[in-house]
């Protein structure tokens, strides 16, 4: 009901949409090859249950758009993450006859939209899938007169991640739990489930952890399977199915579409149809995770496996190293209600044994949580309620364990040490704050050792010196909390800018990974902010030259073209979406905003990609962003106004944006070399006076 009311409110406030946002989403974006690692699964906002096809061959999410052979349908996947993905649990395959090996599912046609997926096969079988929160529905169509069976593989998972399972059958129901390895095999998650057929079922074993369901020889040729997942218990999953017992497939599908519209309509854009389609397809990707894992009454499983209860919804399913730059800051601005639950959920990890990767008792698939402390600092400074004092000692313990063994680790650990210093300052612990600030500023010793001398022959190689998926050129900019100090080490603002020029002129930038995502914004901290305006537009909407991929192929086969495309091969080769990280980068850039330094509530400005954007940042007043003199190829800001007053700085605070109002940009073909140069915002690692 909350989603329906929200959608009704939004459609009244913004009645000019020719199409709903959901109608503009292409769920097949990024579903072919290593160009996003996405799937067309029927999903629901922030739901750990997503029903989708399992193909052969497959990518990280179990699906390849070009594949014709289907293995069946599974219930979980972590969209766009690395290694070999996570999920792919509880496979269901519709079959003709008693031998699953004799039924080949060859794709004939398929269609999908947010919350719905369907496919028909050459043998006459058809499948439809739809979902709600924790709940899903399969509907299988069999040829008339055919012998109908369902094959279930309880051990199926992506990347051979199955650990163990227990199950029981009773009449037309199957229930139990499954444990599988998380992404990169760093931990284990357990999912409880309850599955129920709408026809009498005869269950027989078909192998280890495999079942065959024989369906009646007569009767309807259409079979429905209702299934629910829970992180708490089988009883909770069963209760979810029972609550949906009288809800039809069509009603669930409509509710999923309304839920997606309610979320997507919080950011409304007006511009070219192709850009709008790309925008909403990427915003849709941004809203897949983290997952809501608590039950309606607040019970949930903590990451140590214990049963807990919360007064507010609890989330899990993290990829923070990837998406702390973009996705989580976007939530903090455009999805404040959800973020008010996400931030405390992240803080709550510290109470139950948080690790950089997953624990052995996760309530959902998850990846990694490095820089969680930065996100918590960012949340508190933006006005979100987070109990930092209650986890103070755990934060300190984490920072004491940080890894400085490689050059990139040294810079990233210093960022976390800085965040701890800032948090301790908020908690009025001046002595410890000073201690960890000094520890953070020791990054300069590491930087001078490995990142200052750019004449060494390995500075453009991937990998080198133990760096993780990045080069010396790319990691040397990764000091977002102290750009002023970075400029000083390079010889001042002009030298800093000249080295940025060399970095981008040499095509050393790598948008296929997150290692240098902040680099294009750094001209905003110089006297030439217009160069960042040009770069952000080029990376989002124009042709790029890309040498670096995650397979170290510089000099072999550079890519020349657009990075973001509304097609199955949507991104650069080897470029994962990384749980909304890269799609949120596009969404923010298209809105003309980008966090200057996560942990500081400041956004740098670039020219938006649309004539008008409306973000429902607050309950009463949206933030309206307009572009005068708009043209699709224009990329420079000639002037700007905030609520009718001239805006001469190239940045705004979170408080200014979250208050709503009207932000107007005047677009130009040529840069205004004076706009945004008088009051630059430059991050400094020093304590504020």
């Amino acid at each position: 009901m909350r989603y329906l009311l929200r959608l009704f409110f939004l459609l009244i406030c913004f009645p000019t949409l020719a199409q709903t946002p959901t109608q503009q989403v292409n769920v097949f974006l990024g579903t072919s090859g290593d160009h996003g690692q996405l799937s067309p699964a029927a999903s629901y906002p922030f739901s750990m249950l997503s029903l989708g096809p399992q193909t052969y061959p497959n990518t990280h999410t179990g699906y390849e758009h070009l594949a014709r052979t289907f293995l069946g349908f599974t219930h979980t996947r972590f969209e766009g993450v690395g290694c070999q993905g996570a999920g792919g649990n509880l496979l269901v395959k519709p079959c003709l006859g008693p031998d699953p090996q004799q039924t080949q599912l060859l794709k004939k046609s398929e269609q999908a939209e947010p919350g719905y997926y369907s496919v028909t096969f050459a043998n006459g079988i058809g499948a439809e899938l739809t979902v709600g929160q924790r709940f899903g529905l399969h509907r299988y169509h069999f040829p008339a007169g055919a012998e109908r069976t369902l094959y279930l593989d309880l051990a199926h998972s992506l990347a051979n991640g199955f650990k163990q399972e227990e199950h029981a059958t009773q009449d037309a129901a199957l229930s139990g739990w499954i444990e599988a390895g998380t992404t990169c095999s760093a931990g284990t998650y357990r999912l409880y489930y309850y599955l129920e057929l709408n026809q009498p079922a005869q269950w027989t074993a078909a192998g280890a952890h495999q079942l065959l369901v024989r369906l009646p020889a007569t009767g309807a040729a259409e079979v429905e399977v209702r299934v629910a997942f829970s992180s708490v218990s089988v009883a909770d999953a069963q209760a979810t199915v029972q609550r949906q017992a009288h809800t039809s497939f069509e009603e669930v599908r409509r509710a999923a579409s309304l839920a997606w519209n309610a979320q997507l309509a919080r950011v409304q854009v007006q511009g070219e149809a192709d850009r709008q389609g790309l925008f909403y397809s990427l915003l849709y990707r941004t809203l897949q995770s983290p997952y809501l894992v608590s039950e309606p009454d607040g019970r949930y499983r903590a990451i140590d496996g214990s049963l807990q209860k919360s007064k507010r919804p609890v989330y899990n399913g993290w990829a923070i190293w990837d998406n702390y730059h973009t996705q989580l800051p976007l939530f903090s601005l455009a999805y404040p209600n959800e973020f008010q639950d996400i931030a405390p959920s992240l803080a709550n990890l510290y109470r139950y044994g948080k690790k950089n990767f997953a624990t052995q008792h996760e309530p959902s698939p998850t990846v990694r949580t490095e820089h969680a402390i930065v996100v918590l600092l960012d949340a508190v400074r933006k006005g979100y309620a987070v109990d930092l004092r209650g986890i103070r000692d755990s934060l300190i313990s984490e920072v004491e364990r940080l890894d400085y063994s490689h050059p990139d680790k040294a810079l990233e650990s210093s960022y976390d040490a800085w965040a701890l210093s800032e948090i301790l300052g908020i908690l009025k612990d001046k002595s410890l704050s000073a201690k960890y600030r000094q520890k953070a500023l020791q990054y300069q010793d590491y930087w001078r050792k490995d990142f200052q001398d750019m004449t060494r022959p390995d500075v453009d190689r991937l990998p080198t010196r133990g760096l993780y998926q990045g080069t010396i050129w790319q990691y040397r900019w990764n000091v977002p909390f102290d750009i002023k100090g970075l400029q000083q080490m390079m010889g001042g603002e002009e030298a800093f800018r000249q080295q940025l020029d060399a970095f981008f002129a040499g095509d050393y930038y790598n948008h296929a990974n997150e290692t240098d995502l902040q680099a294009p914004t750094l001209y905003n901290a110089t006297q030439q902010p217009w160069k960042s305006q040009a770069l952000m537009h080029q990376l989002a909407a124009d042709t790029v030259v890309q040498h670096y991929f995650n397979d170290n192929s510089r000099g072999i086969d550079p890519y020349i073209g657009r990075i973001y495309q509304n097609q199955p091969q949507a991104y650069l080769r080897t470029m994962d979406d990384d749980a909304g990280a890269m799609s949120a980068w596009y969404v923010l850039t298209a809105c003309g905003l980008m966090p200057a330094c996560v942990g500081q509530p400041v956004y740098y400005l670039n020219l938006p990609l649309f004539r008008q954007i409306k973000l429902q940042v607050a309950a009463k007043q949206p933030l309206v962003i307009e572009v005068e003199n708009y043209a699709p190829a224009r990329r420079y800001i000639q002037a700007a106004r905030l609520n009718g007053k001239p805006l001469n700085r190239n940045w705004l605070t979170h408080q200014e944006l979250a208050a709503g109002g009207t932000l107007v940009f005047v677009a130009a073909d040529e840069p205004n070399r004076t706009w945004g140069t008088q009051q630059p915002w430059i991050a400094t690692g020093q304590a504020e006076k």
Side-chain angles (χ1 to χ4, degrees), residues 483-484 486-500 522-529 680 682:
I483 298 303
K484 175 63 75 174
L486 196 59
Q487 290 180 351
Q488 291 170 350
M489 286 191 294
M490 289 185 183
E493 185 270 342
E494 183 177 358
F496 173 82
R497 177 166 28 90
Q498 290 172 349
Q499 292 186 48
L500 269 178
L522 292 182
Y523 286 107
N524 286 301
T526 76
Q527 288 299 296
Q528 295 183 346
I682 307 175

Side-chain angles (χ1 to χ4, degrees), residues 305-480:
S306 63
L307 184 61
Q308 304 292 335
K309 191 168 185 179
S310 170
K311 294 181 180 179
R312 298 189 65 93
V314 176
Y315 287 78
N316 195 62
W318 309 107
I320 301 173
W321 183 90
D322 305 281
N323 59 29
Y324 83 97
H325 299 275
T326 54
Q327 186 217 36
L328 295 173
L330 174 62
F331 289 169
S332 74
L333 181 63
Y335 297 89
N337 290 336
E338 288 77 7
F339 193 72
Q340 181 53 79
D341 297 328
I342 289 171
S345 298
L346 189 53
N348 196 45
L349 298 178
Y350 287 91
R351 303 180 188 275
Y352 300 104
K354 173 189 174 295
K355 295 183 177 181
N356 281 347
F357 278 75
T359 71
Q360 294 302 316
H361 301 282
E362 295 288 338
S364 73
T366 192
V367 187
R368 54 197 305 184
T369 60
E370 298 103 318
H371 300 313
I373 190 171
V374 175
V375 177
L376 294 176
L377 171 64
D378 198 58
V380 169
R381 282 192 161 153
K382 290 175 177 176
Y384 289 94
V386 181
D387 178 18
L388 294 178
R389 191 170 298 279
I391 59 171
R392 171 187 174 277
D393 291 346
S394 296
L395 295 174
I396 292 173
S397 178
E398 179 178 68
V399 171
E400 286 294 328
R401 298 191 306 269
L402 290 173
D403 183 3
Y404 291 80
S405 62
H406 299 293
D408 56 331
K409 289 288 189 181
L411 298 187
E412 295 204 33
S413 296
S414 298
Y415 192 8
D416 284 358
W418 168 82
L420 176 60
S421 172
E422 297 290 299
I423 286 173
L424 291 169
I426 293 170
L427 297 178
K428 309 300 183 184
D429 194 332
K430 294 182 179 180
S431 176
L432 272 183
S433 177
K435 171 187 173 180
Y436 287 103
R437 186 176 307 281
Q438 184 61 33
K439 186 178 182 67
L441 292 177
Q442 288 174 359
Y443 85 87
Q444 296 185 2
D445 297 333
Y446 297 100
W447 195 91
R448 291 189 181 99
K449 175 180 177 293
D450 276 294
F451 297 102
Q452 190 160 39
D453 182 3
M454 299 306 291
T455 65
R456 296 168 65 177
D458 65 347
V459 295
D460 64 343
R461 294 180 188 169
L462 188 164
T464 189
R465 306 186 210 175
L467 300 183
Y468 175 72
Q469 296 185 349
T471 68
I472 295 294
W473 260 119
Q474 291 153 16
Y475 268 109
R476 74 193 302 253
W477 311 104
N478 197 12
V479 193

Side-chain angles (χ1 to χ4, degrees), residues 240-291:
T240 299
V241 170
Q242 291 173 343
R243 284 195 296 270
Q244 298 284 348
H246 301 294
T247 308
S248 71
F249 187 98
E250 288 73 19
E251 288 172 328
V252 175
R253 180 181 176 182
R254 283 195 296 271
S257 181
L258 286 170
W260 275 116
N261 265 320
Q263 296 288 5
L264 297 172
R266 292 193 66 86
V267 187
Q268 299 195 4
V269 296
Q270 294 182 19
E272 292 69 35
D274 59 340
R275 277 194 184 174
Q276 287 189 185
L278 178 60
F279 179 90
Y280 282 115
S281 298
L282 294 173
L283 181 58
Y284 167 74
R285 290 300 173 190
T286 304
L287 299 170
Q288 300 288 329
S289 62
Y291 309 124

Side-chain angles (χ1 to χ4, degrees), residues 476-554:
R476 74 193 302 253
W477 311 104
N478 197 12
V479 193
F481 65 95
D482 190 26
I483 298 303
K484 175 63 75 174
L486 196 59
Q487 290 180 351
Q488 291 170 350
M489 286 191 294
M490 289 185 183
E493 185 270 342
E494 183 177 358
F496 173 82
R497 177 166 28 90
Q498 290 172 349
Q499 292 186 48
L500 269 178
D501 290 344
F503 175 64
F504 287 107
D507 296 318
Y508 296 120
Y509 175 72
N510 178 17
H511 203 79
N513 215 319
E514 288 86 10
T515 53
D516 53 357
L517 275 188
Q518 74 283 357
T521 68
L522 292 182
Y523 286 107
N524 286 301
T526 76
Q527 288 299 296
Q528 295 183 346
W530 52 269
K531 288 185 176 179
S532 280
Q533 298 165 28
L535 276 169
M536 300 302 279
H537 184 280
Q538 180 185 21
L539 294 168
D542 208 342
T543 298
V544 302
V545 177
Q546 181 73 36
H547 284 285
Y548 289 96
F549 306 92
N550 294 333
D551 54 8
N552 192 25
S553 56
R554 180 179 173 90

